[in-house]
Amino acid sequence: MKFAMLRLTTVAVLLAGAAGAHVGQHPSVHDTVAGAIDRMKQTIPHDALKALNVEQVLGVLTADERRVLATEHLSFDVNVPVDVYVVRDAALGAEPFWLAQEAFQPTDLRLTVGGDPFDAWKKSFDAGHVGLGVNSLTGAGDHYFAVIAPRDANAVVEIANIYPGRHTTGVLANGAQVYVDRDDLLAGEVPSPLDGALLLRGDNSRRKEAQLVNIFRVTPHPAGPRPDHVVLTWSADPKTTQAVQWRTNTATKTGKVQYIEKAKFHRFRAEKPNMVGAATAVLTNATLLNDTTVHRHTAVLTNLTPGTSYLYAVGDGSDDGWTELAEFTTAPDRAVPFSFVYMGDAQNGLDRWGSLVHNAYRERPDAAFYVMAGDLVNRGAERDDWDSLFQNAQGVFDRRPLVPCLGNHEYQNNDPSLYLDQLALPTNGPAAIGPERAYSFEYSNALFVVLDSNQLPETQTDWLDAQLAGSKATWKFVVYHHPAYSSSPKRDNPGLRKTWGAIFDKHHVDMALQGHDHAYLRTYPMKNEQRVASPAEGTVYVISVSGTKFYDQGDLDYIEYGMTNVATYQVLDIQISGDRLVYRAYDIDGNKRDELVIEK
Ligand SMILES: [Fe+2]
Ligand SMILES: [Fe+2]
């Protein structure tokens, strides 16, 4: 790989290291952590596991494991002797453990990032390889970033082979962005040895990668031999297919779905139902102390008739193993009026969220599907949280398909695999970001494009453009997590707004359904980042929250209607006669809190 050069006399931001670059051998922090977790579960009583502190965890780790955690989290090569400063969240106290172990020296340098105090630890390295360690064992603290200064003030530092390649470089100065995945800026005077030096940005999504303290959990909803947590999604055309997924414990080895057109079902003389087998996968979540491994069954029903209601049950294929009959309806093959529900972050207070979802279903059983704009759960890498979500959604998501998108909380530890493994979704997204993370589908006369705002917007721009250009749908909706027009100035996502907003403008997207900011807002119709006169000219951006965590809202000039501390669900009615969209937001008690009508 070529060296990216930084001349200290020029202020330039360089991108170093191609995305995903993986150069040479890197003993995996991930594998080391997984091995330590397994050993801890086998050797330490479960009650004691929940109370372990950092010192006790360090005592459990072998010298080799401590070395991997101290040197293999973030690494790079330098061309000249350098001083490496690890600038960390000062609240971390004695963490990360490896600063002392690897003979980093504390300094009196202090910086401020996002309003929080950071301090700097220093160590000299010769030209060549530099390896840095994990952020913390408790999972606490924002991620550190590194500053690299030449030992000879006249030298020019060149940095190469950054691992992982997602980390980027820049110049440390007042106002510098210090994370690859957040907009937090350095504020105030930068002390002299650091000012103007090379900045290796931190990746906050990795800050809990080596959490070994307070990770062990018990699911309140362990699986049994009979199916539960049945969830409908679409992994292909909603007109002719239906994905059904559920779980059992590992004693149940197979899964089957029986289904029949509702019109052909008679209590005393039913036609023989169709039967389709499920793919059964082993789903293991190592940090669960009970029910660590379950079977996840996924069946995709195909060749269904559009616009048709079906009855179905899931089981293991034996006569007495079936669930009660439930019902789903395929998408129509022509433009017909329909309704759907959109919700923002559930994430916290999933019991109360369950009441809200059931209220939505009871009030509007005609709503065809449920869009969720990310942060379905708080701890996306921990299955007990998903168990709570699915438990509370029983009776709704087994009758109406869930249309989800990825929030930052699904990416806990940079690992959205529980979302991907538990939900069968379309694979028609851009190849660059991996299957099921973005996708699109049409329903009646509407197009839905679901994006992954955890990834760089540029990874999906061309694909988004092609989806919108290739559709003749009357209504165009986009769904993603991080809002283009935030609820608070501190949570702005300007890159996403500019990059995707231009494409929404180009194809006149009607509404953007977003989450993340834990408040409610609906913008004026916006185009080219300006307020326009009517939805006929621009896009309406909505943020909502369906769970119990709320943030404050700023007084922002693009907000047409905003509110805080209210969980809502939204029902969108697409009316064909007159081509009208009636959008309404309801609180948990069914009170209408906002309304918008768009006419074509
Ligand atoms: Fe979020
Ligand atoms: Fe959230």
Side-chain angles (χ1 to χ4, degrees), residues 250-270:
T250 53
T252 301
K253 311 289 185 195
T254 57
K256 291 219 160 33
V257 177
Q258 286 190 76
Y259 63 101
I260 187 168
E261 278 186 39
K262 190 179 179 186
K264 293 180 179 171
F265 181 81
H266 306 280
R267 183 173 293 273
F268 300 111
R269 194 169 48 81

Side-chain angles (χ1 to χ4, degrees), residues 54 63 78 93 137 145-146 168 210 215 219 288-289 295 329-330 373 376 463 478 501 519 550 562 597:
V54 171
V78 289
L137 298 180
F145 54 95
T168 60
I215 52 169
T219 179
L288 273 183
L289 293 174
H295 279 157
T329 302
T330 52
L376 284 68
W463 176 81
V478 290
F550 304 108
V597 177

Side-chain angles (χ1 to χ4, degrees), residues 166 205 234-235 372-374 403-408 410-421 423-440 449-456 459-460 463 479-481 500:
R166 190 171 134 90
S205 70
W234 287 307
S235 60
M372 290 191 74
V403 175
C405 90
L406 280 158
N408 51 307
E410 278 72 43
Y411 269 90
Q412 183 187 14
N413 301 342
N414 226 354
D415 176 14
S417 60
L418 281 181
Y419 171 99
L420 297 170
D421 291 349
L423 299 169
L425 299 171
T427 52
N428 63 351
I433 63 164
E436 301 182 294
R437 297 179 192 226
Y439 57 92
S440 72
V449 183
V450 179
L451 297 157
D452 180 359
S453 61
N454 300 281
Q455 311 255 2
L456 291 172
T459 57
Q460 294 151 78
W463 176 81
V479 182
Y480 52 88
H481 184 61
W500 288 352

Side-chain angles (χ1 to χ4, degrees), residues 345 347 375 407-409 481-482 491 515-518:
D345 306 33
Q347 187 175 336
D375 286 0
N408 51 307
H409 283 266
H481 184 61
H482 300 78
R491 300 173 66 83
H516 190 57
D517 277 0
H518 293 260

Side-chain angles (χ1 to χ4, degrees), residues 353-548:
W353 172 83
S355 299
L356 180 122
V357 170
H358 279 269
N359 289 357
Y361 179 66
R362 193 180 57 243
E363 292 292 324
R364 293 300 303 270
D366 59 310
F369 51 91
Y370 283 64
V371 171
M372 290 191 74
D375 286 0
L376 284 68
V377 295
N378 191 41
R379 296 174 282 105
E382 297 173 15
R383 210 202 72 222
D384 61 301
D385 219 4
W386 289 96
D387 290 345
S388 291
L389 179 87
F390 293 140
Q391 182 82 17
N392 282 295
Q394 291 195 119
V396 181
F397 288 174
D398 51 347
R399 288 159 170 79
R400 301 291 180 271
L402 167 66
V403 175
C405 90
L406 280 158
N408 51 307
H409 283 266
E410 278 72 43
Y411 269 90
Q412 183 187 14
N413 301 342
N414 226 354
D415 176 14
S417 60
L418 281 181
Y419 171 99
L420 297 170
D421 291 349
Q422 294 187 102
L423 299 169
L425 299 171
T427 52
N428 63 351
I433 63 164
E436 301 182 294
R437 297 179 192 226
Y439 57 92
S440 72
F441 67 94
E442 290 191 349
Y443 191 102
S444 182
N445 62 345
L447 171 71
F448 294 81
V449 183
V450 179
L451 297 157
D452 180 359
S453 61
N454 300 281
Q455 311 255 2
L456 291 172
E458 293 76 17
T459 57
Q460 294 151 78
T461 309
D462 292 347
W463 176 81
L464 168 64
D465 194 22
Q467 300 309 300
L468 292 167
S471 174
K472 294 189 172 63
T474 304
W475 299 97
K476 297 188 173 87
F477 299 96
V478 290
V479 182
Y480 52 88
H481 184 61
H482 300 78
Y485 292 90
S486 64
S487 173
S488 159
K490 287 187 195 149
R491 300 173 66 83
D492 194 19
N493 303 293
L496 185 155
R497 177 169 63 250
K498 288 179 197 318
T499 309
W500 288 352
I503 303 191
F504 302 163
D505 291 345
K506 178 178 166 188
H507 300 286
H508 185 47
V509 166
D510 296 285
M511 292 189 85
L513 309 176
Q514 317 164 114
H516 190 57
D517 277 0
H518 293 260
Y520 181 90
L521 78 79
R522 172 172 55 79
T523 69
Y524 292 104
M526 304 297 291
K527 185 170 189 181
N528 196 23
E529 300 191 45
Q530 302 294 320
R531 181 178 161 183
V532 291
S534 82
E537 295 169 49
T539 302
V540 175
Y541 295 78
V542 185
I543 298 171
S544 66
V545 53
S546 58
T548 57

